[in-house]
Amino acid sequence: MAIFYHYSPIEKERLYIVMDFKLFENGNLRVDLWESGIPYGMVSFMLDERLERGEIAVYNFKKLIGIMDSMIEAEIIEPPHRFVEYNSLKIPICKLRIDIPELLYCPELKQEMKY
């Protein structure tokens, strides 16, 4: 579990964010965000393309604008090393700077999977 602060331009306040690591059905990393015990959003983007272990497709749009910068500042991820096009969006792909457990839960399959 990783924790960081994020200033939300929408809520106009500094939020204390807790990350919950899971897997998408295709084995890519899924990261749910929680704030004050309430689901805040999903920072990872579901891509058809299989990412390398330790990579995350960062959803940095709409409600989560600026979340990638907050995660970089907190040394959770590195700046994007490439981008993937998806429906006219350029999705940043970043490498994690933190360790992820070997087994993670996949909600779609309702089981733990090896990451």
Side-chain angles (χ1 to χ4, degrees):
M1 179 181 343
I3 299 168
F4 65 98
Y5 286 100
H6 167 62
Y7 177 79
S8 169
I10 294 171
E11 283 98 358
K12 301 214 183 303
E13 61 182 300
R14 189 171 185 227
L15 305 173
Y16 183 74
I17 303 290
V18 177
M19 301 172 74
D20 183 26
F21 299 100
K22 296 180 180 163
L23 288 180
F24 288 115
E25 192 173 354
N26 68 357
N28 285 342
L29 189 62
R30 170 184 166 166
V31 182
D32 296 331
L33 302 179
W34 294 76
E35 196 276 322
S36 299
I38 299 169
Y40 182 67
M42 186 186 313
V43 75
S44 50
F45 194 87
M46 170 80 166
L47 294 174
D48 295 331
E49 172 184 336
R50 180 72 165 102
L51 299 177
E52 296 291 323
R53 180 177 167 83
E55 285 186 325
I56 181 173
V58 180
Y59 186 85
N60 195 45
F61 310 99
K62 298 183 181 180
K63 179 182 179 180
L64 296 178
I65 285 179
I67 199 81
M68 183 174 66
D69 292 334
S70 296
M71 292 171 69
I72 292 169
E73 186 177 313
E75 297 185 352
I76 292 171
I77 60 174
E78 295 176 0
H81 61 277
R82 66 184 175 103
F83 291 83
V84 173
E85 295 250 352
Y86 183 85
N87 290 342
S88 76
L89 295 174
K90 288 190 176 189
I91 308 297
I93 308 298
C94 301
K95 289 188 180 182
L96 291 163
R97 299 184 75 183
I98 57 175
D99 292 327
I100 303 297
E102 280 291 317
L103 288 177
L104 293 172
Y105 184 70
C106 175
E108 295 89 0
L109 299 177
K110 298 180 181 171
Q111 68 182 25
E112 281 193 338
M113 295 171 49
K114 189 171 182 171
Y115 174 54

